[in-house]
């Protein structure tokens, strides 16, 4: 039976008193345990108790063997329960990347990725999406979402471009503020979500070809393939003024908006690893900007600081990292940090500052009073109103770039040829961070496709994966897509669409009077070679699990309202952003219909 007379367990006491009381009761082992986050496949639940762990996460695709909302809830609670059995019963907090819905859970609703939301400029839409997402997260007892990315991507060859709202800082600020308002107010009584502004700082400002992932951090003899990780985790080569104006600014508004965790970037600033950057993490973020939440590392990123792990730990914690996303060898981290404190290389004052920040946030979230959420909230997952919201979002993110010869709106009496695998593929419409880390092609989760939607509008529909047809159609809708990717796996040296995609468009062109091109992509793609073959072009970005909704735009039942939040370049010479002034379709371009 817990001693409820203790100050820290008395919810009527001020949080600052509860933290002081609890901190004074904690051993060094309990304190360092709070600073340790392990990924769920690397830790047996009982070790959450044995090592007093503060947090467990699911990395992209870190799913239960049988992936359902119910098993997700059981899995998460299996890590929270042992934390409550420790001497001081400090609840562990579970974190995931729910960057476009509770995207690791099969049959959860998948919303458009941020690049589309940026094009919508609709802050109310974003607020409603993330409130819905928060409810599904809390239904599975997940209280921490590693989101929003407040990245400001400046070179769209980056595989994380689609996680950013825009290349324009002001749009990122506008949308991420709305995100945090929705995430931190799920309107579920006094149960709250922890958001995480990431990745601090300059993750979207790196220079192509500067990525240096040290071989000693790679598992086994895995070598980074030549065409991957070329800009992700690279070096942001800017002076401080530019860094502040472009990349730090969104953190200022995120802090004003109440964000209570910040994740450090894998990248570097002028050659120095962000995970070892005391000036930016402690002096600027915590000091000058007054951030009083806690700072979490990115996945195993402290290991990149030095070949000597002791040095990694000392430099990262002294730089101001409060919790280490280890994520595998949590015992080694705990041993190493303990050794560093015993040796005086990390002061007890630094440890106490980190733990104070973590505990403060846990008290704010109400975790001590309500570590377990209500099972009936599971009904939120995949609910009809969420799917309707995802339909609305797909429609408000689709950006009409070109519409000649009145190709759009389509008319239901027209004969229509639908071409391309992507027209009937949920996985391609969702993109990365869906069910698995990299995303997948195919019917990977519950949802609807654009072909489904067109079939709702017309009875004279022919579907052809390669664009071939026996009869000429009045109009064709060709859908091309980037294969799903995440992070540096998606770094892409050439943004021209592929020869196969060009061939698909040209084949289809011969079988129709008018041709509408719909693009599923995590960034603008270069379509100059086929633009004249297309009467209309729609950038649908990564619309999510309800892509059938786009048919309403094509048939004019819903207006196109979105505007580009990234410059649509016509050649590789127009990259990075600073070189794209001559591009025909700039930020703000978007036809309305
Ligand atoms: C990854 C990403 C980060 C994510 C984390 C946990 O490395 O950089 O955005 O939150 O790991 O999945």
């Amino acid at each position: 039976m817990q001693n409820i007379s203790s100050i820290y367990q008395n919810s009527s006491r001020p949080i600052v008193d509860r933290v002081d009381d609890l901190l004074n009761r904690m051993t060094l082992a309990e304190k360092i345990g709070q600073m340790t986050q392990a990924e769920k496949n690397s830790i047996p639940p009982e070790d959450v108790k044995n090592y007093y762990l503060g947090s467990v996460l699911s990395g992209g695709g870190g799913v239960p063997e049988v992936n359902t909302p119910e098993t997700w809830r059981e899995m998460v609670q299996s890590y929270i329960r042992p934390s409550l059995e420790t001497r001081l019963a400090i609840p562990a907090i579970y974190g995931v990347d729910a960057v476009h819905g509770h995207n690791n859970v099969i049959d959860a609703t998948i919303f458009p990725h941020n690049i589309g939301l940026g094009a919508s400029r609709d802050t109310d839409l974003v607020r409603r999406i993330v409130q819905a997402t928060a409810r599904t997260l809390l239904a599975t007892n997940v209280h921490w979402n590693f989101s929003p990315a407040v990245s400001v991507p400046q070179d769209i060859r980056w595989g994380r471009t689609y996680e950013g709202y825009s290349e324009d800082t002001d749009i990122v600020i506008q949308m991420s503020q709305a995100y945090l308002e929705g995430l931190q107010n799920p309107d579920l009584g006094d149960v709250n979500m922890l958001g995480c502004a990431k990745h601090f700082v300059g993750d979207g400002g790196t220079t192509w070809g500067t990525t240096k992932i040290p071989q000693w951090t790679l598992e086994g003899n895995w070598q980074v393939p030549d065409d991957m990780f070329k800009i992700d985790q690279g070096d942001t080569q800017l002076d401080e003024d530019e860094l502040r104006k472009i990349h730090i600014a969104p953190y200022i508004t995120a802090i004003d908006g109440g964000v209570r965790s910040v994740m450090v970037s894998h990248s570097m600033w002028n050659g120095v690893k962000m995970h070892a950057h005391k000036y930016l993490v402690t002096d600027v973020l915590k000091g000058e900007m007054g951030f009083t939440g806690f700072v979490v590392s990115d996945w195993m990123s402290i290991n990149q600081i030095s070949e000597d792990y002791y040095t990694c730990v000392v430099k990262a914690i002294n730089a101001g990292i409060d919790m280490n996303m280890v994520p595998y060898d949590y015992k080694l981290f705990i041993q190493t940090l303990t050794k560093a404190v015993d040796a005086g290389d990390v002061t007890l004052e630094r440890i106490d500052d980190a733990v104070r920040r973590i505990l403060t946030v846990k008290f704010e979230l109400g975790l001590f009073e309500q570590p377990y959420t209500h099972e009936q909230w599971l009904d939120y997952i995949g609910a009809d109103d969420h799917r309707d919201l995802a339909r609305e979002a797909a429609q408000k993110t689709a950006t009409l770039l070109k519409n000649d010869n009145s190709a759009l709106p389509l008319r239901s009496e027209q004969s229509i040829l639908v071409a391309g695998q992507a027209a009937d593929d949920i996985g391609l419409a969702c993109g990365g961070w869906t069910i698995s880390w990299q995303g997948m092609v195919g019917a990977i989760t519950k949802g609807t496709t654009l072909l489904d939607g067109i079939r709702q509008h017309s009875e004279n529909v022919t579907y052809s994966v390669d664009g071939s047809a026996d009869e000429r159609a009045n109009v064709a809708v060709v859908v091309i897509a980037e294969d799903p990717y995440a992070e540096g796996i998606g770094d892409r040296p050439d943004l021209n669409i592929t020869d196969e995609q060009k061939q698909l468009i040209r084949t289809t062109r011969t079988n129709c009077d008018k041709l509408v091109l719909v693009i599923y992509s995590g960034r603008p793609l270069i379509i100059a070679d086929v633009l004249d073959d297309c009467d209309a072009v729609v950038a649908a970005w990564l619309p999510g699990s309800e892509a059938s909704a786009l048919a309403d735009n094509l048939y004019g039942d819903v207006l196109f309202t979105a505007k580009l939040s990234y410059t649509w370049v016509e050649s590789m010479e127009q990259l990075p952003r600073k070189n794209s002034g001559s591009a025909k379709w700039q930020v703000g371009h978007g036809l309305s219909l």
Side-chain angles (χ1 to χ4, degrees), residues 371-397:
Y372 298 119
T373 60
H374 299 299
E375 187 162 13
Q376 67 265 26
W377 290 347
L378 285 172
D379 294 343
Y380 288 130
I381 297 178
D384 290 346
D385 59 335
H386 286 194
R387 296 208 181 273
D388 292 342
L389 180 56
R391 290 179 60 83
E392 177 190 350
Q395 292 164 347
K396 289 183 173 178
T397 52

PDB file of all heavy atoms in Angstrom, residues 371-397:
ATOM      1  N   PRO A 371      -2.131   6.631 -14.273  1.00  0.00           N
ATOM      2  CA  PRO A 371      -1.169   6.015 -15.201  1.00  0.00           C
ATOM      3  C   PRO A 371      -1.864   5.174 -16.267  1.00  0.00           C
ATOM      4  O   PRO A 371      -1.354   4.999 -17.361  1.00  0.00           O
ATOM      5  CB  PRO A 371      -0.302   5.142 -14.300  1.00  0.00           C
ATOM      6  CG  PRO A 371      -1.136   4.862 -13.096  1.00  0.00           C
ATOM      7  CD  PRO A 371      -2.012   6.069 -12.912  1.00  0.00           C
ATOM      8  N   TYR A 372      -3.060   4.685 -15.947  1.00  0.00           N
ATOM      9  CA  TYR A 372      -3.806   3.872 -16.920  1.00  0.00           C
ATOM     10  C   TYR A 372      -4.992   4.667 -17.459  1.00  0.00           C
ATOM     11  O   TYR A 372      -5.697   5.332 -16.701  1.00  0.00           O
ATOM     12  CB  TYR A 372      -4.312   2.587 -16.245  1.00  0.00           C
ATOM     13  CG  TYR A 372      -3.198   1.696 -15.738  1.00  0.00           C
ATOM     14  CD1 TYR A 372      -3.099   1.393 -14.383  1.00  0.00           C
ATOM     15  CD2 TYR A 372      -2.234   1.202 -16.602  1.00  0.00           C
ATOM     16  CE1 TYR A 372      -2.062   0.589 -13.906  1.00  0.00           C
ATOM     17  CE2 TYR A 372      -1.199   0.392 -16.134  1.00  0.00           C
ATOM     18  CZ  TYR A 372      -1.115   0.097 -14.798  1.00  0.00           C
ATOM     19  OH  TYR A 372      -0.092  -0.691 -14.328  1.00  0.00           O
ATOM     20  N   THR A 373      -5.198   4.561 -18.765  1.00  0.00           N
ATOM     21  CA  THR A 373      -6.300   5.312 -19.381  1.00  0.00           C
ATOM     22  C   THR A 373      -7.519   4.394 -19.500  1.00  0.00           C
ATOM     23  O   THR A 373      -7.454   3.214 -19.168  1.00  0.00           O
ATOM     24  CB  THR A 373      -5.881   5.788 -20.784  1.00  0.00           C
ATOM     25  OG1 THR A 373      -5.572   4.622 -21.565  1.00  0.00           O
ATOM     26  CG2 THR A 373      -4.688   6.712 -20.710  1.00  0.00           C
ATOM     27  N   HIS A 374      -8.602   4.965 -20.015  1.00  0.00           N
ATOM     28  CA  HIS A 374      -9.855   4.209 -20.054  1.00  0.00           C
ATOM     29  C   HIS A 374      -9.926   3.309 -21.281  1.00  0.00           C
ATOM     30  O   HIS A 374      -9.766   3.784 -22.413  1.00  0.00           O
ATOM     31  CB  HIS A 374     -11.042   5.184 -20.059  1.00  0.00           C
ATOM     32  CG  HIS A 374     -11.075   6.053 -18.827  1.00  0.00           C
ATOM     33  ND1 HIS A 374     -11.206   5.522 -17.567  1.00  0.00           N
ATOM     34  CD2 HIS A 374     -10.936   7.388 -18.684  1.00  0.00           C
ATOM     35  CE1 HIS A 374     -11.170   6.524 -16.674  1.00  0.00           C
ATOM     36  NE2 HIS A 374     -11.004   7.659 -17.326  1.00  0.00           N
ATOM     37  N   GLU A 375     -10.206   2.058 -21.090  1.00  0.00           N
ATOM     38  CA  GLU A 375     -10.237   1.080 -22.180  1.00  0.00           C
ATOM     39  C   GLU A 375     -11.276   1.443 -23.239  1.00  0.00           C
ATOM     40  O   GLU A 375     -11.080   1.226 -24.432  1.00  0.00           O
ATOM     41  CB  GLU A 375     -10.509  -0.323 -21.634  1.00  0.00           C
ATOM     42  CG  GLU A 375     -10.386  -1.402 -22.699  1.00  0.00           C
ATOM     43  CD  GLU A 375     -10.226  -2.778 -22.091  1.00  0.00           C
ATOM     44  OE1 GLU A 375     -10.466  -2.910 -20.871  1.00  0.00           O
ATOM     45  OE2 GLU A 375      -9.822  -3.707 -22.816  1.00  0.00           O
ATOM     46  N   GLN A 376     -12.372   2.075 -22.831  1.00  0.00           N
ATOM     47  CA  GLN A 376     -13.421   2.364 -23.834  1.00  0.00           C
ATOM     48  C   GLN A 376     -12.941   3.377 -24.876  1.00  0.00           C
ATOM     49  O   GLN A 376     -13.513   3.510 -25.945  1.00  0.00           O
ATOM     50  CB  GLN A 376     -14.707   2.863 -23.182  1.00  0.00           C
ATOM     51  CG  GLN A 376     -14.635   4.216 -22.511  1.00  0.00           C
ATOM     52  CD  GLN A 376     -14.346   4.089 -21.011  1.00  0.00           C
ATOM     53  OE1 GLN A 376     -13.752   3.091 -20.582  1.00  0.00           O
ATOM     54  NE2 GLN A 376     -14.740   5.097 -20.254  1.00  0.00           N
ATOM     55  N   TRP A 377     -11.828   4.083 -24.587  1.00  0.00           N
ATOM     56  CA  TRP A 377     -11.299   5.008 -25.585  1.00  0.00           C
ATOM     57  C   TRP A 377     -10.801   4.263 -26.820  1.00  0.00           C
ATOM     58  O   TRP A 377     -10.589   4.863 -27.879  1.00  0.00           O
ATOM     59  CB  TRP A 377     -10.175   5.850 -24.994  1.00  0.00           C
ATOM     60  CG  TRP A 377     -10.636   6.849 -23.976  1.00  0.00           C
ATOM     61  CD1 TRP A 377     -11.918   7.236 -23.719  1.00  0.00           C
ATOM     62  CD2 TRP A 377      -9.824   7.572 -23.046  1.00  0.00           C
ATOM     63  NE1 TRP A 377     -11.961   8.163 -22.694  1.00  0.00           N
ATOM     64  CE2 TRP A 377     -10.682   8.388 -22.266  1.00  0.00           C
ATOM     65  CE3 TRP A 377      -8.458   7.626 -22.792  1.00  0.00           C
ATOM     66  CZ2 TRP A 377     -10.214   9.236 -21.262  1.00  0.00           C
ATOM     67  CZ3 TRP A 377      -7.990   8.484 -21.803  1.00  0.00           C
ATOM     68  CH2 TRP A 377      -8.855   9.265 -21.044  1.00  0.00           C
ATOM     69  N   LEU A 378     -10.648   2.963 -26.726  1.00  0.00           N
ATOM     70  CA  LEU A 378     -10.210   2.184 -27.903  1.00  0.00           C
ATOM     71  C   LEU A 378     -11.190   2.366 -29.063  1.00  0.00           C
ATOM     72  O   LEU A 378     -10.828   2.218 -30.224  1.00  0.00           O
ATOM     73  CB  LEU A 378     -10.071   0.706 -27.541  1.00  0.00           C
ATOM     74  CG  LEU A 378      -8.846   0.328 -26.710  1.00  0.00           C
ATOM     75  CD1 LEU A 378      -8.930  -1.126 -26.254  1.00  0.00           C
ATOM     76  CD2 LEU A 378      -7.548   0.568 -27.494  1.00  0.00           C
ATOM     77  N   ASP A 379     -12.416   2.722 -28.734  1.00  0.00           N
ATOM     78  CA  ASP A 379     -13.405   2.933 -29.807  1.00  0.00           C
ATOM     79  C   ASP A 379     -13.036   4.091 -30.717  1.00  0.00           C
ATOM     80  O   ASP A 379     -13.543   4.206 -31.838  1.00  0.00           O
ATOM     81  CB  ASP A 379     -14.795   3.204 -29.188  1.00  0.00           C
ATOM     82  CG  ASP A 379     -15.323   1.982 -28.451  1.00  0.00           C
ATOM     83  OD1 ASP A 379     -14.773   0.874 -28.707  1.00  0.00           O
ATOM     84  OD2 ASP A 379     -16.244   2.117 -27.621  1.00  0.00           O
ATOM     85  N   TYR A 380     -12.171   4.975 -30.234  1.00  0.00           N
ATOM     86  CA  TYR A 380     -11.749   6.099 -31.095  1.00  0.00           C
ATOM     87  C   TYR A 380     -10.946   5.607 -32.302  1.00  0.00           C
ATOM     88  O   TYR A 380     -10.927   6.239 -33.345  1.00  0.00           O
ATOM     89  CB  TYR A 380     -10.861   7.072 -30.306  1.00  0.00           C
ATOM     90  CG  TYR A 380     -11.580   7.911 -29.274  1.00  0.00           C
ATOM     91  CD1 TYR A 380     -11.118   8.003 -27.964  1.00  0.00           C
ATOM     92  CD2 TYR A 380     -12.718   8.639 -29.605  1.00  0.00           C
ATOM     93  CE1 TYR A 380     -11.760   8.789 -27.012  1.00  0.00           C
ATOM     94  CE2 TYR A 380     -13.376   9.421 -28.667  1.00  0.00           C
ATOM     95  CZ  TYR A 380     -12.893   9.490 -27.370  1.00  0.00           C
ATOM     96  OH  TYR A 380     -13.529  10.268 -26.428  1.00  0.00           O
ATOM     97  N   ILE A 381     -10.293   4.484 -32.169  1.00  0.00           N
ATOM     98  CA  ILE A 381      -9.359   4.048 -33.228  1.00  0.00           C
ATOM     99  C   ILE A 381     -10.122   3.523 -34.445  1.00  0.00           C
ATOM    100  O   ILE A 381     -10.925   2.609 -34.342  1.00  0.00           O
ATOM    101  CB  ILE A 381      -8.382   2.976 -32.696  1.00  0.00           C
ATOM    102  CG1 ILE A 381      -7.527   3.596 -31.567  1.00  0.00           C
ATOM    103  CG2 ILE A 381      -7.456   2.457 -33.815  1.00  0.00           C
ATOM    104  CD1 ILE A 381      -6.555   2.652 -30.908  1.00  0.00           C
ATOM    105  N   GLY A 382      -9.916   4.216 -35.574  1.00  0.00           N
ATOM    106  CA  GLY A 382     -10.606   3.824 -36.801  1.00  0.00           C
ATOM    107  C   GLY A 382     -12.054   4.259 -36.827  1.00  0.00           C
ATOM    108  O   GLY A 382     -12.813   3.870 -37.713  1.00  0.00           O
ATOM    109  N   ALA A 383     -12.438   5.136 -35.899  1.00  0.00           N
ATOM    110  CA  ALA A 383     -13.851   5.562 -35.817  1.00  0.00           C
ATOM    111  C   ALA A 383     -14.260   6.294 -37.095  1.00  0.00           C
ATOM    112  O   ALA A 383     -13.434   6.921 -37.764  1.00  0.00           O
ATOM    113  CB  ALA A 383     -14.031   6.475 -34.607  1.00  0.00           C
ATOM    114  N   ASP A 384     -15.572   6.226 -37.405  1.00  0.00           N
ATOM    115  CA  ASP A 384     -16.069   6.849 -38.637  1.00  0.00           C
ATOM    116  C   ASP A 384     -15.761   8.346 -38.690  1.00  0.00           C
ATOM    117  O   ASP A 384     -15.405   8.885 -39.743  1.00  0.00           O
ATOM    118  CB  ASP A 384     -17.594   6.629 -38.745  1.00  0.00           C
ATOM    119  CG  ASP A 384     -17.929   5.174 -39.029  1.00  0.00           C
ATOM    120  OD1 ASP A 384     -16.972   4.435 -39.404  1.00  0.00           O
ATOM    121  OD2 ASP A 384     -19.092   4.767 -38.861  1.00  0.00           O
ATOM    122  N   ASP A 385     -15.878   9.019 -37.537  1.00  0.00           N
ATOM    123  CA  ASP A 385     -15.646  10.474 -37.590  1.00  0.00           C
ATOM    124  C   ASP A 385     -14.174  10.783 -37.881  1.00  0.00           C
ATOM    125  O   ASP A 385     -13.851  11.800 -38.503  1.00  0.00           O
ATOM    126  CB  ASP A 385     -16.118  11.156 -36.302  1.00  0.00           C
ATOM    127  CG  ASP A 385     -15.412  10.631 -35.067  1.00  0.00           C
ATOM    128  OD1 ASP A 385     -14.932   9.471 -35.086  1.00  0.00           O
ATOM    129  OD2 ASP A 385     -15.313  11.379 -34.078  1.00  0.00           O
ATOM    130  N   HIS A 386     -13.283   9.875 -37.479  1.00  0.00           N
ATOM    131  CA  HIS A 386     -11.867  10.082 -37.833  1.00  0.00           C
ATOM    132  C   HIS A 386     -11.665   9.863 -39.335  1.00  0.00           C
ATOM    133  O   HIS A 386     -10.884  10.562 -39.984  1.00  0.00           O
ATOM    134  CB  HIS A 386     -10.988   9.121 -37.040  1.00  0.00           C
ATOM    135  CG  HIS A 386     -10.851   9.496 -35.590  1.00  0.00           C
ATOM    136  ND1 HIS A 386      -9.903   8.949 -34.772  1.00  0.00           N
ATOM    137  CD2 HIS A 386     -11.556  10.353 -34.824  1.00  0.00           C
ATOM    138  CE1 HIS A 386     -10.019   9.472 -33.555  1.00  0.00           C
ATOM    139  NE2 HIS A 386     -11.018  10.318 -33.564  1.00  0.00           N
ATOM    140  N   ARG A 387     -12.345   8.876 -39.861  1.00  0.00           N
ATOM    141  CA  ARG A 387     -12.188   8.634 -41.308  1.00  0.00           C
ATOM    142  C   ARG A 387     -12.769   9.806 -42.102  1.00  0.00           C
ATOM    143  O   ARG A 387     -12.193  10.243 -43.103  1.00  0.00           O
ATOM    144  CB  ARG A 387     -12.858   7.314 -41.710  1.00  0.00           C
ATOM    145  CG  ARG A 387     -12.193   6.119 -41.046  1.00  0.00           C
ATOM    146  CD  ARG A 387     -12.291   4.824 -41.815  1.00  0.00           C
ATOM    147  NE  ARG A 387     -11.635   3.768 -41.051  1.00  0.00           N
ATOM    148  CZ  ARG A 387     -10.327   3.481 -41.118  1.00  0.00           C
ATOM    149  NH1 ARG A 387      -9.552   4.179 -41.923  1.00  0.00           N
ATOM    150  NH2 ARG A 387      -9.779   2.534 -40.389  1.00  0.00           N
ATOM    151  N   ASP A 388     -13.860  10.356 -41.632  1.00  0.00           N
ATOM    152  CA  ASP A 388     -14.420  11.545 -42.303  1.00  0.00           C
ATOM    153  C   ASP A 388     -13.434  12.706 -42.228  1.00  0.00           C
ATOM    154  O   ASP A 388     -13.245  13.451 -43.196  1.00  0.00           O
ATOM    155  CB  ASP A 388     -15.753  11.964 -41.643  1.00  0.00           C
ATOM    156  CG  ASP A 388     -16.858  10.940 -41.884  1.00  0.00           C
ATOM    157  OD1 ASP A 388     -16.689  10.117 -42.825  1.00  0.00           O
ATOM    158  OD2 ASP A 388     -17.852  10.940 -41.144  1.00  0.00           O
ATOM    159  N   LEU A 389     -12.784  12.830 -41.092  1.00  0.00           N
ATOM    160  CA  LEU A 389     -11.784  13.896 -40.916  1.00  0.00           C
ATOM    161  C   LEU A 389     -10.600  13.675 -41.863  1.00  0.00           C
ATOM    162  O   LEU A 389     -10.095  14.611 -42.482  1.00  0.00           O
ATOM    163  CB  LEU A 389     -11.311  13.922 -39.466  1.00  0.00           C
ATOM    164  CG  LEU A 389     -10.259  14.959 -39.074  1.00  0.00           C
ATOM    165  CD1 LEU A 389     -10.721  16.384 -39.413  1.00  0.00           C
ATOM    166  CD2 LEU A 389      -9.938  14.846 -37.576  1.00  0.00           C
ATOM    167  N   ALA A 390     -10.208  12.434 -42.037  1.00  0.00           N
ATOM    168  CA  ALA A 390      -9.100  12.120 -42.946  1.00  0.00           C
ATOM    169  C   ALA A 390      -9.503  12.396 -44.392  1.00  0.00           C
ATOM    170  O   ALA A 390      -8.692  12.855 -45.213  1.00  0.00           O
ATOM    171  CB  ALA A 390      -8.679  10.667 -42.784  1.00  0.00           C
ATOM    172  N   ARG A 391     -10.774  12.187 -44.717  1.00  0.00           N
ATOM    173  CA  ARG A 391     -11.270  12.510 -46.062  1.00  0.00           C
ATOM    174  C   ARG A 391     -11.196  14.024 -46.286  1.00  0.00           C
ATOM    175  O   ARG A 391     -10.686  14.504 -47.297  1.00  0.00           O
ATOM    176  CB  ARG A 391     -12.713  12.019 -46.236  1.00  0.00           C
ATOM    177  CG  ARG A 391     -12.899  10.520 -46.305  1.00  0.00           C
ATOM    178  CD  ARG A 391     -14.379  10.158 -46.463  1.00  0.00           C
ATOM    179  NE  ARG A 391     -14.915  10.736 -47.689  1.00  0.00           N
ATOM    180  CZ  ARG A 391     -14.781  10.157 -48.897  1.00  0.00           C
ATOM    181  NH1 ARG A 391     -14.097   9.038 -49.014  1.00  0.00           N
ATOM    182  NH2 ARG A 391     -15.290  10.716 -49.981  1.00  0.00           N
ATOM    183  N   GLU A 392     -11.681  14.749 -45.293  1.00  0.00           N
ATOM    184  CA  GLU A 392     -11.634  16.220 -45.380  1.00  0.00           C
ATOM    185  C   GLU A 392     -10.198  16.701 -45.551  1.00  0.00           C
ATOM    186  O   GLU A 392      -9.896  17.573 -46.373  1.00  0.00           O
ATOM    187  CB  GLU A 392     -12.237  16.830 -44.111  1.00  0.00           C
ATOM    188  CG  GLU A 392     -12.189  18.342 -44.060  1.00  0.00           C
ATOM    189  CD  GLU A 392     -12.579  18.894 -42.681  1.00  0.00           C
ATOM    190  OE1 GLU A 392     -13.060  18.127 -41.816  1.00  0.00           O
ATOM    191  OE2 GLU A 392     -12.378  20.115 -42.477  1.00  0.00           O
ATOM    192  N   ALA A 393      -9.292  16.065 -44.814  1.00  0.00           N
ATOM    193  CA  ALA A 393      -7.877  16.478 -44.867  1.00  0.00           C
ATOM    194  C   ALA A 393      -7.277  16.187 -46.230  1.00  0.00           C
ATOM    195  O   ALA A 393      -6.563  17.017 -46.800  1.00  0.00           O
ATOM    196  CB  ALA A 393      -7.099  15.760 -43.768  1.00  0.00           C
ATOM    197  N   ALA A 394      -7.582  15.024 -46.786  1.00  0.00           N
ATOM    198  CA  ALA A 394      -7.056  14.691 -48.120  1.00  0.00           C
ATOM    199  C   ALA A 394      -7.523  15.726 -49.142  1.00  0.00           C
ATOM    200  O   ALA A 394      -6.763  16.192 -49.992  1.00  0.00           O
ATOM    201  CB  ALA A 394      -7.515  13.292 -48.527  1.00  0.00           C
ATOM    202  N   GLN A 395      -8.784  16.133 -48.998  1.00  0.00           N
ATOM    203  CA  GLN A 395      -9.344  17.099 -49.960  1.00  0.00           C
ATOM    204  C   GLN A 395      -8.751  18.491 -49.804  1.00  0.00           C
ATOM    205  O   GLN A 395      -8.587  19.237 -50.763  1.00  0.00           O
ATOM    206  CB  GLN A 395     -10.874  17.144 -49.780  1.00  0.00           C
ATOM    207  CG  GLN A 395     -11.546  15.855 -50.202  1.00  0.00           C
ATOM    208  CD  GLN A 395     -12.972  15.710 -49.697  1.00  0.00           C
ATOM    209  OE1 GLN A 395     -13.427  16.455 -48.822  1.00  0.00           O
ATOM    210  NE2 GLN A 395     -13.682  14.732 -50.237  1.00  0.00           N
ATOM    211  N   LYS A 396      -8.406  18.844 -48.555  1.00  0.00           N
ATOM    212  CA  LYS A 396      -7.881  20.189 -48.297  1.00  0.00           C
ATOM    213  C   LYS A 396      -6.368  20.286 -48.498  1.00  0.00           C
ATOM    214  O   LYS A 396      -5.801  21.383 -48.426  1.00  0.00           O
ATOM    215  CB  LYS A 396      -8.251  20.625 -46.874  1.00  0.00           C
ATOM    216  CG  LYS A 396      -9.732  20.922 -46.719  1.00  0.00           C
ATOM    217  CD  LYS A 396     -10.069  21.414 -45.319  1.00  0.00           C
ATOM    218  CE  LYS A 396     -11.526  21.877 -45.240  1.00  0.00           C
ATOM    219  NZ  LYS A 396     -11.891  22.309 -43.853  1.00  0.00           N
ATOM    220  N   THR A 397      -5.734  19.134 -48.719  1.00  0.00           N
ATOM    221  CA  THR A 397      -4.278  19.167 -48.944  1.00  0.00           C
ATOM    222  C   THR A 397      -3.933  19.028 -50.427  1.00  0.00           C
ATOM    223  O   THR A 397      -2.851  19.428 -50.843  1.00  0.00           O
ATOM    224  CB  THR A 397      -3.596  18.031 -48.151  1.00  0.00           C
ATOM    225  OG1 THR A 397      -4.242  16.790 -48.457  1.00  0.00           O
ATOM    226  CG2 THR A 397      -3.691  18.259 -46.650  1.00  0.00           C
TER     227      THR A 397
END
